[in-house]
């Protein structure tokens, strides 16, 4: 079986989609009889270890992302690779190129709905424009042989738009990189904090939908017994005195050390399509306090953290206090056990292969979301 993945969400500092593709690529190499190719935007045509770059212009202020504007280069490369199945991970030009190539090669095409396009556009350009994209999403994803969504929340949105053949396929976490053994007892000293300071963390991009202002206000309300560490590019500069900012992209191994060395992850995002950082924190052996919104309630069971009212710093601060009134270390151990049981990448890839065999007609169908 030759699987071809393609997406424009692939840049030096990109997040979940690139993580998904690279984890999948590593594990598929362990399967006999399976070949995996990844097509992504680049400066020029190139090929290295199964990853093919297709020329595309750089997005201005796009943090290294490139935006394909022509179908033909992607379609032609797919026709030369002759995959048995195509999966596309974004709703832009590459999606239409994949559908074109799928028709010409007579192979199935799967669409993975990683990002909520109408919501994303509405947040940045106005909700009227976002609402007008619902029809576009329905038309595009209605054209795929099968649609995968990383969470029930995303699947439900697609089904509400009239998209059929939608299946939930949760993503995974790197259990080797993110693990409790990365804990560094010297982090508090490094930050100039007392040993008994309760250390909170958020890691990710400082984009609007992460609601970092809620985290800052939460830290302010918690006071000096607590300290918040913000890690990632685009973080705010003006912060309360009990907040430290690492305002740069950090490699996964560095994030893993910081995660495991803190006590709790805070996540105020209310529009998450999945929430990989939550799984990374849980894999690191720390519990999570998150907004009860988007996909986050699907990831954080009560024995691994707490959920609170969205966009409410007072509610988040109270949830943090309640968590520390419990045995937060026990919650962290249970969080690690939860992701080991439900979000190991090996299990995710096995689930993906079930979908692939289903559309190829070589295995029994898994159960669809809509029945």
């Amino acid at each position: 079986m030759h699987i071809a993945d393609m997406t424009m969400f692939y840049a030096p500092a990109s997040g979940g989609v690139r993580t998904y593709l690279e984890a999948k690529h590593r594990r598929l190499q362990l399967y006999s009889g399976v070949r995996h190719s990844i097509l992504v935007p680049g400066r020029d045509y190139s090929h290295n270890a199964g990853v093919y770059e297709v020329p595309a212009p750089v997005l201005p202020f796009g943090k290294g992302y490139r935006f394909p504007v022509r179908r033909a280069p992607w379609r032609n490369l797919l026709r030369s690779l002759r995959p048995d199945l195509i999966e596309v991970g974004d709703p832009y030009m590459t999606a239409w190129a994949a559908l074109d190539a799928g028709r010409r090669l007579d192979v199935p095409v799967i669409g993975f709905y990683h990002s909520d396009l109408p919501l994303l556009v509405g947040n940045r350009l106005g909700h009227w424009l976002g609402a007008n994209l619902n029809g576009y999403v329905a038309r595009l994803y209605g054209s795929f042989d099968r649609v995968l969504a990383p969470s029930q929340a995303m699947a439900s949105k697609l089904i509400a738009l009239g998209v059929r053949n939608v299946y939930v396929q949760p993503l995974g976490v790197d259990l080797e990189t993110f693990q409790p053994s990365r804990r560094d007892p010297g982090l508090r000293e490094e930050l100039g904090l007392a040993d008994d300071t309760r250390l909170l963390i958020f890691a990710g991009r400082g984009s609007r939908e992460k609601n970092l202002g809620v985290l800052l206000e939460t830290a302010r309300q918690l006071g000096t017994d607590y300290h918040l560490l913000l890690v990632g590019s685009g973080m705010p500069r003006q912060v309360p005195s009990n907040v430290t900012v690492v305002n740069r992209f950090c490699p996964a191994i560095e994030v893993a050390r910081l995660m495991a060395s803190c006590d709790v992850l805070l996540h105020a995002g209310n529009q998450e399509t999945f929430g990989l950082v939550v799984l990374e924190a849980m894999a690191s052996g720390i519990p999570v306090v998150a907004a009860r919104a988007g996909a986050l309630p699907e990831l954080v069971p009560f024995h691994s953290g707490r959920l609170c009212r969205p966009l409410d710093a007072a509610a988040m601060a109270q949830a943090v206090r309640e968590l520390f009134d419990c045995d937060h270390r026990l919650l962290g151990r249970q969080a690690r056990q939860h992701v080991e049981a439900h979000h190991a990448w090996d299990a995710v890839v096995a689930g993906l292969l079930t979908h692939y065999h289903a559309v190829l007609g070589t295995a029994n169908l898994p159960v669809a979301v809509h029945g």
Side-chain angles (χ1 to χ4, degrees), residues 223-243:
T224 56
D225 289 341
Y226 298 80
H227 198 89
L228 173 61
L229 180 61
L230 294 179
V231 181
S233 57
M235 291 296 173
R237 296 179 183 275
Q238 295 186 337
V239 299
S241 59
N242 63 336
V243 176

Side-chain angles (χ1 to χ4, degrees), residues 289-350:
V289 172
R292 189 182 291 105
L296 298 180
E298 300 174 44
L299 297 181
V300 186
F302 189 76
H303 63 263
S304 300
R306 295 292 182 268
L307 298 170
C308 63
R309 189 165 50 249
L311 304 177
D312 188 332
M316 178 163 277
Q318 182 58 29
V320 171
R321 294 187 193 100
E322 290 175 1
L323 189 146
F324 278 99
D325 286 340
C326 304
D327 185 345
H328 70 278
R329 292 184 178 86
L330 173 60
L331 293 176
R333 291 194 295 271
Q334 292 172 165
R336 172 69 187 193
Q337 292 167 359
H338 180 78
V339 294
E340 286 177 342
H342 298 284
H343 293 284
W345 275 116
D346 289 335
V348 172
V349 171

Side-chain angles (χ1 to χ4, degrees), residues 179-363:
Q179 55 178 292
S181 65
R182 305 286 182 194
R183 185 173 183 84
D184 180 357
L187 179 60
R188 283 169 174 76
E189 182 180 359
E190 183 182 319
L191 295 173
L193 303 175
D195 290 343
D196 60 351
T197 303
R198 293 169 168 179
L199 191 51
L200 318 172
I201 187 171
F202 174 76
R205 289 176 292 106
S207 52
R208 181 186 306 174
E209 57 268 20
K210 303 302 181 184
N211 299 320
L212 297 183
V214 174
L215 298 186
L216 297 181
E217 177 59 20
T218 298
R220 190 190 67 76
Q221 293 195 24
L222 286 170
T224 56
D225 289 341
Y226 298 80
H227 198 89
L228 173 61
L229 180 61
L230 294 179
V231 181
S233 57
M235 291 296 173
R237 296 179 183 275
Q238 295 186 337
V239 299
S241 59
N242 63 336
V243 176
T244 296
V245 176
V246 180
N247 190 16
R248 58 181 172 82
F249 170 75
C250 296
I253 196 67
E254 185 175 354
V255 175
R257 177 184 76 93
L258 297 173
M259 285 272 198
S261 306
C262 291
D263 296 314
V264 178
L265 176 87
L266 295 191
H267 198 327
N270 63 335
Q271 299 173 1
E272 289 296 326
T273 60
F274 186 67
L276 180 60
V277 67
V278 167
L279 293 188
E280 291 172 345
M282 293 166 69
S284 300
I286 66 172
V288 175
V289 172
R292 189 182 291 105
L296 298 180
E298 300 174 44
L299 297 181
V300 186
F302 189 76
H303 63 263
S304 300
R306 295 292 182 268
L307 298 170
C308 63
R309 189 165 50 249
L311 304 177
D312 188 332
M316 178 163 277
Q318 182 58 29
V320 171
R321 294 187 193 100
E322 290 175 1
L323 189 146
F324 278 99
D325 286 340
C326 304
D327 185 345
H328 70 278
R329 292 184 178 86
L330 173 60
L331 293 176
R333 291 194 295 271
Q334 292 172 165
R336 172 69 187 193
Q337 292 167 359
H338 180 78
V339 294
E340 286 177 342
H342 298 284
H343 293 284
W345 275 116
D346 289 335
V348 172
V349 171
L352 287 166
L353 287 171
T354 301
H355 291 293
Y356 299 159
H357 283 297
V359 296
L360 290 168
T362 56

Side-chain angles (χ1 to χ4, degrees), residues 56-140:
V58 175
L59 275 172
F61 314 110
K63 299 179 181 177
Y65 284 98
R66 295 175 179 269
F67 195 88
V69 293
R70 296 176 57 236
R71 296 188 199 182
W74 299 81
R75 183 177 61 224
N76 293 341
L77 180 54
L78 283 170
R79 292 177 69 187
S80 68
L81 291 172
R82 302 195 64 80
D84 299 299
L85 176 146
I86 304 167
E87 180 181 312
V88 63
D90 70 72
Y92 304 108
M93 188 66 71
T94 50
W96 297 106
L99 289 167
D100 285 353
R103 282 191 292 267
R104 298 187 188 204
L105 293 169
D106 193 24
V107 300
V109 184
I110 290 176
F112 207 131
Y113 195 58
H114 287 286
S115 63
D116 187 343
L117 180 62
L119 186 60
L120 189 67
V121 171
N123 286 341
R124 286 163 171 72
L125 301 177
H127 293 293
W128 64 271
L129 182 56
N132 288 337
L133 284 172
N134 286 333
Y136 172 85
V137 169
R139 182 164 64 95
L140 172 59

